[in-house]
Amino acid sequence: MVANKPETDKPVDALTQDEAESELARLAEAIAAADIAYHQNDAPEITDAEYDALRIRNAEIEMRFPDLVRADSPTGSVGAPPAEGFAKVRHAVPMLSLAKAYTDQDVVDFIERGRRFFERDKDLDIAFTAEPKIDGLSASLRYENGVFVQGATRGNGTVGEDITANLKTIADIPHRLKGSGWPEVIEIRGEVYMTYAEFEALKARSAATGGQDYVNPRNTAAGSLRQKDPAVTASRNLKFFAYAWGYTTADPAPTQFESVRKFAEWGFEITPLMVRAKSVEELIAQYHVIEEKRSSLGYDIDGVVYKVDQLELQRRWGFVTGEPRWAIAHKFPAERATTTVRKIDIQVGRTGTLAPVARLAPVTVGGVVVENVTLHNEDYIKGLDSNGLPIREGRDIRIGDTVVIQRAGDVIPQIVDVAIDKRPADAGPYDFPHTCPVCGSPATREVNENTGKEDSRRRCTGELICPAQAVERLRHFVSRGAMDIEGLGAENIDLFFQAGLIETAADIFRLKDRRAAAQRALAERREEQARQREAASGKERKNARGADQRNFEGLEKLFAAIDARREPELDRFIFALGIRHVGDTTAALLARTFSTIEEFIRVGKETAAAEDPHTVFPSINGIGDTVIGALVDFFGNERNDKVLADLLEHVHPKPYVVTISADSAVAGKTIVFTGSLEKMTRSEAKAMAERLGAKVAGSVSAKTDLVVAGPGAGSKLKTATELGIEVVDEDAWLERVRGAV
Ligand code: IVH
């Protein structure tokens, strides 16, 4: 037994090779067990300090005996990444976000709040730092005894993803800290970002090889960090600025300013634009200095962060949910750019809405090239909002106009102003079409019966005879949230529609009978694509027969996929019908209420025939007059009757069964989903919860029982925390419902 005795007490310097090997094995096991107890069972068996001691010892031994580093090393420096996704990392100290200031007054208020908080300390001299807010992704880097052992994304602030291998490829991130005096354990926090130069270079490389398009440096940096293969991350030449820290065994220095300076001594890049200031005036002066430099920095920043300098005061002032009280981000105003309107196109949507789109001379705003911008509707073009009140000071938009575009963060670009002085002399007011540009049917503005108000949108009255509506309806019918027919994407729908093979949803299920024609359509498309490629490359094509064979196989697969969906879930089927105002949630409510398609149709028709729909249609929580009106329109239209009857010859929706098992962990509970889900779509999650007898709500209130928060969760998560409502992540949610489904 003596040989197996842990060498815990022996100094690392004194360990023999054999002892080191067995010690590393023991540490790997002990750390893994502690991780499981902490992360999976939420029942830590050792203290944080003991845990840190294990990791530090492990890192030290690995440093002395690099050849002995195990494949399952807890430092994560070797070994394959997990097969699926990245492992989760619980941040020892949460990664916070920042309160925002948009005006100078907001900054004055922030400082005032601080002064009031420390009012009793007469002699207190509060200092602040001001530095750029880098527009990238935050990351947390754990150093144990100066060695980088684990790096994680912010995730939802509490749990992030382990991207150590990818972070290690970033040159600005030291694998070992330089100098001395670093705490035993410290989580360095900062921003991973991509320079414009690197972004442009990547776009050029991608364009040369016909690869994907990249939207902006920030999203590209995010994508680059989440690569499965660290070599890909390495090729993106990401950068990193250190500006904060999380868990640490000792303060780096007494102040924020000096702490960040220390980071530079330890080998990190830090912003050269950080200053220390005492007054609002000085802070705002630095805001303008940074704003001036913004366009020449070579990377995106979106504001200036002010932080209380003295760590002692930071601690005393403390936190509100998810944000420190002692820091604030003073945002730059949304970026604007000027360009011209080349033309206005009208798109016809699934429900016949005529949607005007301005085609612009391409212009870069906030790091993104903008070429199209929605003009919403006829009134918007005229300079009026939906209440008839002036926007853009009532200025209308005309073809040829010079316009000011604004884009803030992830917000969709919009036209905020029109330069009337630059308007060409011959630019007349835009004549919004009164007929559908696709089918020629009249396009009208409906009048809301209740309010007497005219809808701001003009709609094509062609319904099923309008090819634009028909194609959009078909695309919707087969889409993922609806019938989910694999392999029958928008492109194939277009193709079969153009070829006259699919006009209504029922035709999809008859496509098999027109095999030869379908195959011809596919072959012709392939032929056409090959011709285009040939013309582009100048090379001749070979092996056309092989292509035919592939067409044939693809088509058989498609028929199988169509057959597989002949008995869809009732809620999906109702949603797939594309009835106006019936989204997936409403479809689920209807399915749950009526249980079978026959009952839904029976009640729908009776409601449509009744003088007052409310005498027939049951009162359903969550379904109001708009939906009832849409159902009356749908079932009152004979053409829909025929289309539906035809469709039901081929498709037999399954009765909707609600399984409210008494022991279902979520039955009767009100649940809110927020943030992004990774294992299922939002509508799947919703449907699953509802099947289990839970109610899914859109916003968090005191009535909420449970919040399922994915990455990117924001205000809902905050409210939930404030109200003390239970919050779980997607995995925990699945775990909870697994037994019940
Ligand atoms: S400090 C405790 N400093 O902004 C305070 N954050 O809105 C933690 N960010 O998630 C953050 N530049 O990703 C800080 N100089 C800077 C920053 C910065 C960018 C990001 C960071 C954070 C977000 C908060």
Side-chain angles (χ1 to χ4, degrees):
M1 287 307 282
V2 176
N4 286 339
K5 180 181 169 293
E7 302 297 337
T8 327
D9 302 331
K10 200 160 177 179
V12 172
D13 287 349
L15 291 174
T16 65
Q17 178 100 0
D18 283 354
E19 283 168 348
E21 190 170 3
S22 64
E23 183 67 352
L24 283 177
R26 183 191 73 84
L27 286 165
E29 201 178 307
I31 292 170
D35 281 340
I36 289 173
Y38 186 94
H39 296 297
Q40 292 181 15
N41 306 339
D42 274 335
E45 285 164 358
I46 56 175
T47 65
D48 284 357
E50 283 165 340
Y51 180 79
D52 287 342
L54 291 177
R55 294 199 68 123
I56 288 168
R57 187 166 169 81
N58 186 74
E60 283 177 350
I61 301 175
E62 285 184 349
M63 244 199 304
R64 215 191 124 208
F65 299 96
D67 293 347
L68 295 182
V69 173
R70 301 165 56 86
D72 64 349
S73 160
T75 58
S77 54
V78 270
E84 262 189 48
F86 298 96
K88 298 270 185 274
V89 176
R90 186 177 292 271
H91 301 301
V93 170
M95 290 184 77
L96 304 175
S97 58
L98 292 168
K100 295 188 180 50
Y102 297 96
T103 60
D104 290 359
Q105 186 58 46
D106 290 340
V107 182
V108 172
D109 292 346
F110 163 65
I111 307 273
E112 267 311 300
R113 280 198 297 279
R115 297 247 152 86
R116 270 203 307 279
F117 185 84
F118 295 112
E119 207 167 32
R120 297 224 192 103
D121 285 289
K122 290 276 176 291
D123 305 325
L124 196 66
D125 203 8
I126 314 177
F128 297 89
T129 57
E131 65 193 287
K133 183 169 187 299
I134 318 295
D135 196 11
L137 303 308
S138 49
S140 185
L141 318 171
R142 188 177 169 100
Y143 286 82
E144 293 176 0
N145 256 21
V147 180
F148 177 36
V149 294
Q150 189 175 54
T153 61
R154 176 171 186 275
N156 63 8
T158 311
V159 177
E161 286 179 320
D162 186 337
I163 50 162
T164 312
N166 291 342
L167 287 167
K168 279 192 171 173
T169 70
I170 299 179
D172 292 346
I173 296 180
H175 291 196
R176 290 182 64 176
L177 299 181
K178 283 202 238 155
S180 59
W182 9 267
E184 275 199 339
V185 180
I186 184 164
E187 288 173 1
I188 300 285
R189 297 198 171 157
E191 205 81 354
V192 176
Y193 65 98
M194 184 178 264
T195 62
Y196 295 147
E198 196 52 48
F199 178 63
E200 292 306 328
L202 174 63
K203 282 217 310 198
R205 287 202 298 274
S206 179
T209 55
Q212 72 175 104
D213 197 17
Y214 294 95
V215 183
N216 60 32
R218 186 186 176 281
N219 289 14
T220 310
S224 306
L225 264 189
R226 298 193 83 253
Q227 293 293 323
K228 288 279 152 57
D229 179 359
V232 177
T233 313
S235 75
R236 302 287 168 83
N237 298 316
L238 298 172
K239 312 230 359 116
F240 180 83
F241 272 133
Y243 54 62
W245 60 98
Y247 176 76
T248 178
T249 45
D251 283 348
T255 65
Q256 180 77 30
F257 193 83
E258 290 162 296
S259 297
V260 175
R261 283 291 154 100
K262 278 267 159 67
F263 295 171
E265 284 172 26
W266 299 342
F268 289 98
E269 289 299 317
I270 61 168
T271 172
L273 293 171
M274 182 170 60
V275 297
R276 223 194 300 234
K278 284 277 170 69
S279 65
V280 177
E281 291 73 27
E282 286 175 78
L283 290 178
I284 290 177
Q286 181 63 7
Y287 174 85
H288 291 299
V289 167
I290 294 175
E291 195 179 26
E292 282 276 294
K293 297 220 157 95
R294 185 181 186 187
S295 58
S296 58
L297 288 176
Y299 51 85
D300 276 332
I301 61 172
D302 57 349
V304 174
V305 183
Y306 310 130
K307 300 172 186 167
V308 167
D309 192 33
Q310 299 98 321
L311 304 193
E312 169 61 21
L313 300 187
Q314 290 187 357
R315 270 190 283 269
R316 278 171 61 192
W317 201 2
F319 303 87
V320 268
T321 14
E323 287 169 4
R325 285 206 173 86
W326 45 264
I328 198 161
H330 190 179
K331 302 276 284 185
F332 291 134
E335 266 201 70
R336 292 181 167 198
T338 298
T339 184
T340 53
V341 177
R342 287 180 169 166
K343 62 176 186 153
I344 296 177
D345 282 339
I346 302 285
Q347 294 175 340
V348 183
R350 172 164 67 85
T351 54
T353 310
L354 268 49
V357 181
R359 308 291 182 197
L360 309 168
V363 62
T364 306
V365 199
V368 179
V369 177
V370 177
E371 288 178 275
N372 310 306
V373 53
T374 175
L375 296 178
H376 302 285
N377 55 56
E378 194 172 357
D379 290 347
Y380 180 90
I381 298 178
K382 285 185 185 151
L384 301 173
D385 72 6
S386 56
N387 295 313
L389 298 171
I391 43 172
R392 304 184 302 269
E393 295 181 22
R395 291 196 262 271
D396 68 333
I397 297 168
R398 303 182 184 186
I399 296 166
D401 264 343
T402 296
V403 290
V404 180
I405 308 290
Q406 172 174 300
R407 183 180 168 277
D410 289 338
V411 177
I412 297 165
Q414 50 174 340
I415 294 182
V416 287
D417 207 357
V418 179
I420 297 288
D421 54 334
K422 295 205 178 124
R423 177 170 281 171
D426 59 348
Y430 178 68
D431 209 359
F432 202 94
H434 287 210
T435 52
C436 170
V438 178
C439 75
S441 302
T444 58
R445 293 175 64 156
E446 289 172 5
V447 176
N448 184 318
E449 280 169 27
N450 298 329
T451 59
K453 243 181 68 182
E454 202 180 36
D455 191 341
S456 48
R457 288 163 303 186
R458 206 167 265 283
R459 293 182 58 231
C460 163
T461 53
E463 297 218 8
L464 297 184
I465 66 148
C466 177
Q469 286 187 61
V471 170
E472 289 300 329
R473 272 168 192 274
L474 288 167
R475 283 180 174 197
H476 169 74
F477 185 81
V478 300
S479 66
R480 249 188 98 189
M483 292 287 282
D484 193 18
I485 300 182
E486 211 174 308
L488 192 54
E491 238 176 68
N492 280 340
I493 285 283
D494 285 356
L495 176 75
F496 295 133
F497 185 84
Q498 300 299 342
L501 293 172
I502 294 180
E503 273 169 29
T504 68
D507 292 335
I508 293 171
F509 298 92
R510 284 190 285 256
L511 189 62
K512 206 159 62 167
D513 306 336
R514 306 181 71 178
R515 228 184 213 92
Q519 205 173 343
R520 210 172 319 122
L522 280 174
E524 275 169 18
R525 179 174 63 187
R526 205 177 266 276
E527 194 55 23
E528 177 56 32
Q529 285 170 344
R531 251 199 306 277
Q532 282 172 6
R533 267 201 306 276
E534 214 176 283
S537 70
K539 276 190 213 140
E540 261 187 52
R541 182 170 31 128
K542 43 187 186 227
N543 203 6
R545 194 168 296 163
D548 280 350
Q549 183 61 28
R550 277 199 298 281
N551 268 344
F552 182 70
E553 285 164 11
L555 206 51
E556 291 309 315
K557 253 197 201 154
L558 177 60
F559 294 150
I562 293 172
D563 282 344
R565 303 298 293 144
R566 281 180 196 261
E567 289 185 13
E569 294 79 8
L570 181 59
D571 52 336
R572 280 176 174 274
F573 181 77
I574 294 178
F575 175 55
L577 292 177
I579 303 169
R580 271 186 93 194
H581 304 299
V582 178
D584 55 352
T585 312
T586 305
L589 284 175
L590 292 167
R592 202 155 71 175
T593 306
F594 299 110
S595 295
T596 64
I597 188 67
E598 291 76 17
E599 183 64 3
F600 174 56
I601 295 174
R602 188 188 67 75
V603 177
K605 281 190 183 169
E606 267 183 37
T607 307
E611 208 148 290
D612 174 2
H614 295 97
T615 55
V616 180
F617 200 83
S619 140
I620 306 173
N621 201 357
I623 293 189
D625 282 347
T626 316
V627 172
I628 298 177
L631 291 172
V632 167
D633 286 349
F634 184 84
F635 286 107
N637 183 333
E638 264 177 45
R639 273 190 298 201
N640 286 336
D641 240 15
K642 288 209 190 82
V643 169
L644 196 51
D646 186 18
L647 182 55
L648 289 172
E649 294 279 314
H650 304 274
V651 180
H652 309 288
K654 287 189 275 219
Y656 193 92
V657 189
V658 187
T659 44
I660 309 184
S661 54
D663 56 349
S664 155
V666 294
K669 298 255 165 82
T670 299
I671 299 180
V672 173
F673 291 94
T674 177
S676 52
L677 299 177
E678 283 155 359
K679 308 240 161 80
M680 59 177 85
T681 63
R682 192 66 86 82
S683 41
E684 278 169 314
K686 216 186 253 179
M688 178 192 265
E690 284 169 353
R691 264 200 304 277
L692 295 167
K695 199 176 142 217
V696 177
S699 60
V700 176
S701 73
K703 287 191 199 138
T704 311
D705 295 301
L706 181 69
V707 170
V708 182
S715 62
K716 288 180 195 170
L717 176 59
K718 202 172 140 192
T719 315
T721 325
E722 278 163 8
L723 294 174
I725 292 162
E726 189 186 0
V727 178
V728 295
D729 65 10
E730 189 180 358
D731 285 339
W733 156 250
L734 284 174
E735 196 59 42
R736 192 167 296 198
V737 296
R738 198 158 286 143
V741 238

